[in-house]
Amino acid sequence: MKVKYLGALLLAATLTFFGCDDNTGTLGIGMLPGSDGISAHTTTFDVTTRSVVADSVFAKTSTGYVGRFTDPQFGYYEASFLTELNCIDDFSFPEKYDFDKKTGILTDDTVAGVRLVVFYSTWFGDSLNACRMSAYELDKKLERNRYTNIKPTDYYDWLNPIKSLLGRRAYTAYDTSVTDEERNETDSNGNKTYYPSVIFTLDKDKFGNDWIDLC
């Protein structure tokens, strides 16, 4: 075999073994001086941490959290919120229907029923876990500027909970009694019309008829 053909054969063999490697991760490394090399080292430091309870944080939010859970790192948590319900300015009930003048809307001057509906949008944990929510009537007006270090028990009679208890409801975060059709229903603009909620039935005289008399 001639030498030139032997050289071509060796070149072909070299291309066979190395020509198909498309990894360019080390391309140009051999051109760098040794001083540009990067050495990686690991070390260990002892660190001590502690949790500090925040004294007061301005509670400027429209989101309320409710529930309880246990965190594997930080332990037991329980969340509740205080809120104040008010009528809009110049609110009034419509007039009772006058059959002679044919004016008004209401067919009677008494309230058939009053409900407190607590809507929620998200949850975490087991959505089928049995939960219980309680609602209490506050006996003290909330301050306009509130902080997170306030005690909820300062705003209702916790020594006599039956007196201030508005209602207690059992529920699951995912309501299995709601059909998929109702859960996914939307309005003409494509917005969802269903939101999960917990409903409390209130005293219709105390929270209905008395309000009509005041208005």
Side-chain angles (χ1 to χ4, degrees):
M1 181 182 292
K2 295 184 178 180
V3 177
K4 64 178 181 178
Y5 295 115
L6 179 61
L9 180 61
L10 291 176
L11 177 60
T14 302
L15 291 177
T16 301
F17 286 107
F18 299 103
C20 295
D21 186 6
D22 59 355
N23 184 4
T24 59
T26 60
L27 184 63
I29 296 298
M31 301 175 59
L32 295 176
S35 59
D36 289 350
I38 299 176
S39 299
H41 303 278
T42 60
T43 187
T44 303
F45 297 95
D46 293 329
V47 178
T48 301
T49 63
R50 64 190 180 97
S51 299
V52 179
V53 178
D55 178 54
S56 60
V57 177
F58 184 53
K60 187 179 181 180
T61 179
S62 60
T63 302
Y65 296 91
V66 62
R68 60 181 63 175
F69 66 96
T70 300
D71 185 272
Q73 299 295 329
F74 298 100
Y76 175 80
Y77 280 86
E78 183 172 348
S80 57
F81 68 93
L82 305 176
T83 188
E84 188 173 283
L85 305 178
N86 293 287
C87 296
I88 61 176
D89 294 339
D90 301 325
F91 171 82
S92 63
F93 288 99
E95 297 180 358
K96 182 180 177 181
Y97 185 78
D98 190 321
F99 289 92
D100 296 328
K101 299 180 180 179
K102 299 187 182 305
T103 59
I105 297 177
L106 293 181
T107 58
D108 200 354
D109 57 357
T110 60
V111 174
V114 179
R115 298 189 305 172
L116 172 64
V117 183
V118 181
F119 293 97
Y120 56 93
S121 57
T122 59
W123 65 84
F124 67 91
D126 186 355
S127 62
L128 299 180
N129 186 43
C131 302
R132 186 176 67 175
M133 183 184 298
S134 301
Y136 297 90
E137 180 183 7
L138 304 183
D139 56 13
K140 184 185 301 182
K141 186 177 179 62
L142 294 175
E143 300 293 335
R144 182 177 181 84
N145 297 323
R146 297 183 295 275
Y147 293 83
T148 56
N149 63 339
I150 64 175
K151 296 181 179 179
T153 53
D154 292 341
Y155 291 85
Y156 71 96
D157 190 357
W158 64 277
L159 294 176
N160 187 11
I162 301 301
K163 175 184 176 182
S164 56
L165 181 66
L166 295 178
R168 183 174 286 130
R169 296 287 297 178
Y171 70 101
T172 57
Y174 184 88
D175 190 350
T176 56
S177 65
V178 178
T179 63
D180 291 338
E181 181 180 358
E182 182 181 357
R183 193 183 308 276
N184 299 320
E185 189 175 359
T186 58
D187 58 17
S188 58
N189 296 321
N191 300 317
K192 294 182 60 176
T193 58
Y194 167 79
Y195 290 95
S197 62
V198 180
I199 301 175
F200 298 89
T201 301
L202 306 183
D203 188 310
K204 66 178 182 179
D205 291 325
K206 182 177 181 180
F207 296 100
N209 294 322
D210 291 349
W211 285 12
I212 288 182
D213 294 337
L214 291 175
C215 294

